[in-house]
Amino acid sequence: MLRSLVGSEMCIRDREAAEISVQSNSPQRPSINHALRMLSLQVRVRDMVAAFLASGSSYLAEQVEGDAKRRTQQQKAEEHLTQAENEVMTSEAIFMTSMSLDRFGGVEIALETAVLCHSADSHLLGTLVEKALNISRDDNTARELLRRFGSVAGFPLIVLVMVLEARAYLRTPTGSFDVPRTLISSHVDAERAFAVYESLVEHRDSNVYPCRAYERAGVTPAYLVHSMAVLITGSQYPRQESDVATLYQIQRRVAETCASPNDMAALESALALLQSRRH
């Protein structure tokens, strides 16, 4: 029975699961919906492992590091496939199996598992986001993460912003439009994004969510002020004068300690954007 559910003939899809959950008025509705979403993740694990086994990758022949049974990656993957097809996997099993194939799409499944299970481990969530972006440096990966998790309360949006801004800063240290526009086009709540940038400028949450790419790049407060100006002057930003006043205060405070030409250029550009908003 489980094989037919998890296999290619699976009759319950994400959309149908959501419909069942919405239509049900029983007290078990949240747990039913959770179980169905976990089953959907198990299907993705099954498909990922099957694709890995069929890939012909040289990684298949490698021995599993630290494995007392001295199994190859292929043998371990075959065991995972058997489990995914014949058992209801626990969230821990889904997470661990996904992470064992992190280079083959497993990180995103592991991240979704952690978010779905309401993980409170900020370091783990941050590490998963950074790893997913580093494995696939395509901007579409960032957009997909934003689409799926951008509105989820437990998702560490700040880490995604830090990784993307670190890359953009290395390209254009005088200020970039790229990341704020990606956030806006991905329908991330603009005020939530503003709060993320504000916390980065004030150094409030960078220790909670350590990000190596951000630390290595040396992203400056002045650069972030420019990104905040891009965000707040966008057509989709709600006209909150208090946020504009806050940004003017931040801009003036950062300017007091600003010394490098790049930072000065970023602040001048930010100020020009804010002033253009008045017209």
Side-chain angles (χ1 to χ4, degrees):
M1 177 65 178
L2 182 62
R3 179 182 292 272
S4 64
L5 284 175
V6 178
S8 59
E9 302 84 6
M10 180 180 178
C11 60
I12 300 178
R13 305 294 184 190
D14 284 343
R15 177 181 57 80
E16 294 164 333
E19 290 173 356
I20 291 171
S21 177
V22 169
Q23 293 170 5
S24 171
N25 292 318
S26 72
Q28 288 76 36
R29 181 174 63 182
S31 60
I32 292 172
N33 189 46
H34 178 85
L36 289 171
R37 291 179 67 185
M38 291 304 299
L39 183 59
S40 176
L41 286 175
Q42 180 169 337
V43 171
R44 288 170 58 192
V45 167
R46 192 288 311 266
D47 291 345
M48 176 186 66
V49 175
F52 169 60
L53 286 169
S55 68
S57 169
S58 59
Y59 186 58
L60 287 163
E62 292 184 16
Q63 187 172 325
V64 178
E65 186 176 349
D67 183 30
K69 298 179 182 178
R70 301 181 64 81
R71 294 170 296 176
T72 63
Q73 294 292 345
Q74 178 171 345
Q75 290 170 326
K76 184 179 179 182
E78 288 170 347
E79 292 175 10
H80 286 322
L81 183 61
T82 298
Q83 181 184 26
E85 288 185 334
N86 295 283
E87 303 175 18
V88 176
M89 299 172 70
T90 65
S91 58
E92 182 180 5
I94 291 173
F95 180 88
M96 296 303 294
T97 300
S98 300
M99 287 304 295
S100 71
L101 293 174
D102 56 356
R103 290 180 283 180
F104 297 87
V107 175
E108 292 176 39
I109 299 176
L111 174 61
E112 188 163 349
T113 303
V115 172
L116 182 59
C117 294
H118 308 290
S119 172
D121 188 335
S122 59
H123 181 76
L124 171 64
L125 292 170
T127 299
L128 289 172
V129 170
E130 186 174 4
K131 193 164 190 175
L133 292 173
N134 286 338
I135 288 175
S136 176
R137 300 184 67 85
D138 190 333
D139 287 345
N140 288 331
T141 300
R143 292 189 180 93
E144 179 64 14
L145 291 177
L146 287 169
R147 184 187 69 79
R148 290 164 67 180
F149 305 116
S151 61
V152 177
F155 178 71
L157 178 63
I158 188 171
V159 178
L160 189 143
V161 169
M162 284 193 286
V163 173
L164 296 182
E165 286 291 19
R167 295 176 185 174
Y169 176 76
L170 292 175
R171 293 193 300 268
T172 319
T174 55
S176 172
F177 290 78
D178 294 348
V179 180
R181 286 178 174 174
T182 295
L183 295 172
I184 292 169
S185 65
S186 300
H187 307 292
V188 173
D189 180 80
E191 290 181 282
R192 182 185 175 201
F194 183 87
V196 165
Y197 278 107
E198 186 178 3
S199 71
L200 286 173
V201 173
E202 303 290 350
H203 303 290
R204 288 201 296 263
D205 295 320
S206 55
N207 291 329
V208 178
Y209 293 101
C211 176
R212 287 167 294 182
Y214 186 79
E215 293 168 0
R216 286 195 300 266
V219 180
T220 65
Y223 170 88
L224 294 172
V225 167
H226 180 273
S227 291
M228 294 173 76
V230 174
L231 182 69
I232 207 169
T233 55
S235 61
Q236 297 185 28
Y237 197 89
R239 299 305 182 187
Q240 296 288 344
E241 294 305 319
S242 60
D243 288 343
V244 176
T246 296
L247 186 50
Y248 269 115
Q249 292 173 3
I250 293 173
Q251 191 271 343
R252 286 193 293 268
R253 188 167 63 250
V254 171
E256 292 175 358
T257 58
C258 180
S260 77
N262 285 337
D263 282 355
M264 292 174 65
L267 289 180
E268 288 173 5
S269 180
L271 187 59
L273 285 169
L274 289 172
Q275 291 174 341
S276 69
R277 183 181 182 275
R278 294 178 175 178
H279 303 297

